[in-house]
């Protein structure tokens, strides 16, 4: 997401972060001096899954943060990346699979009483509280946009056999079903009967 775009889908928390831990960052050492920068690398373990219904970073998986924090006139601009392992279910063959997700972050957290804070709605920009910023909703939104709504275990997954439901990846090249047109079904049954005498009677 671009700086200042906020997160319309996720309302701002009203209770706010209370201390630096996990996705919560303490930015007071930037001193609100525009141009002051700080780099941060951190491994975060979240007790909730992060992502979509069919694919997500599992609960208790490690999320790697590589960030740059920069003080600007209206707040703190945070850029960098977040990455972690994903576990999902293929939307074609329904088999579980694992992968990685890597997202780029660019987000402005506005200072309290700044012009940006006073002139924007709650859902339009993130706010800083007590010199702390909470990156969790930013990362949740970024991961949600990056992950596919219909994940695949492989780009060429052939899915399931529509007739018997077996995975085509293990069915073999000779797998198939003879599908008889129902209009000819009675003739097929007739062909399997005992041969007649040829007597019309």
């Amino acid at each position: 997401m671009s700086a200042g775009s906020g997160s319309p889908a996720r309302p701002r928390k009203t209770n706010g972060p209370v201390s630096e831990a996990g996705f919560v960052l303490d930015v007071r050492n930037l001193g609100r001096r525009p141009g002051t920068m700080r780099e941060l690398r951190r491994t975060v373990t979240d007790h909730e899954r992060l992502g979509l219904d069919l694919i997500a970073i599992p609960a208790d998986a490690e999320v790697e943060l590589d960030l740059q924090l920069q003080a600007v006139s209206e707040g703190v601009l945070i850029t960098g990346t977040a990455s972690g392992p994903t576990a999902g279910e293929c939307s074609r063959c329904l088999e579980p699979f694992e992968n990685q997700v890597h997202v780029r972050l660019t987000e402005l957290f506005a200072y309290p009483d700044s012009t940006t804070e006073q002139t924007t709605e709650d859902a339009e920009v993130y706010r800083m509280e007590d010199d702390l910023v909470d990156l969790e909703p930013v990362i949740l939104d970024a991961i949600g946009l990056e992950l596919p709504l219909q994940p695949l275990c492989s780009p060429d997954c052939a899915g399931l056999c529509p007739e018997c439901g077996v995975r085509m990846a293990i069915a073999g090249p000779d797998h198939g079903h003879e599908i008889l047109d129902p209009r000819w079904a009675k003739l097929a049954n007739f062909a399997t009967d005992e041969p007649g005498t040829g007597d019309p009677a």
Side-chain angles (χ1 to χ4, degrees), residues 114-133:
S114 66
T115 302
T116 298
E117 199 271 346
Q118 294 174 355
T119 58
T120 56
E121 299 293 331
D122 283 352
E124 293 178 340
V125 68
Y126 290 99
R127 268 72 169 170
M128 185 186 311
E129 297 184 26
D130 300 325
D131 289 313
L132 299 170
V133 298

Side-chain angles (χ1 to χ4, degrees), residues 5 16-17 20 27 50 53 78 83 90 124-125 130 137 144 157 162 186 195:
S5 63
E20 181 176 52
V27 297
L50 307 173
D53 289 339
I78 297 180
S83 57
C90 180
E124 293 178 340
V125 68
D130 300 325
C157 175
K186 290 186 178 181

Side-chain angles (χ1 to χ4, degrees), residues 137-175:
V138 177
I139 291 173
L140 275 171
D141 288 343
I143 290 174
L145 291 172
E146 182 69 20
L147 293 176
L149 292 174
Q150 296 183 322
L152 300 176
C153 59
S154 65
D156 58 348
C157 175
L160 304 175
C161 173
E163 297 301 318
C164 66
V166 69
R167 286 177 58 212
M168 297 303 295
I170 62 174
D174 297 330
H175 181 80

Side-chain angles (χ1 to χ4, degrees), residues 20-25 40-47 50 57 60-67 81-85 135 139:
E20 181 176 52
F23 293 117
V24 178
L25 311 179
L40 176 115
R41 289 180 175 82
R42 178 182 295 181
T43 301
V44 178
T45 301
D46 198 298
H47 298 303
L50 307 173
I57 295 178
D60 299 321
E62 292 185 344
V63 179
E64 301 291 339
L65 302 180
D66 187 356
L67 306 172
T81 61
S83 57
L135 275 182
I139 291 173

Side-chain angles (χ1 to χ4, degrees), residues 180-181 183-193:
L180 190 64
D181 190 319
R183 294 172 297 178
W184 302 103
K186 290 186 178 181
L187 288 179
N189 293 334
F190 178 78
T192 59
D193 291 341

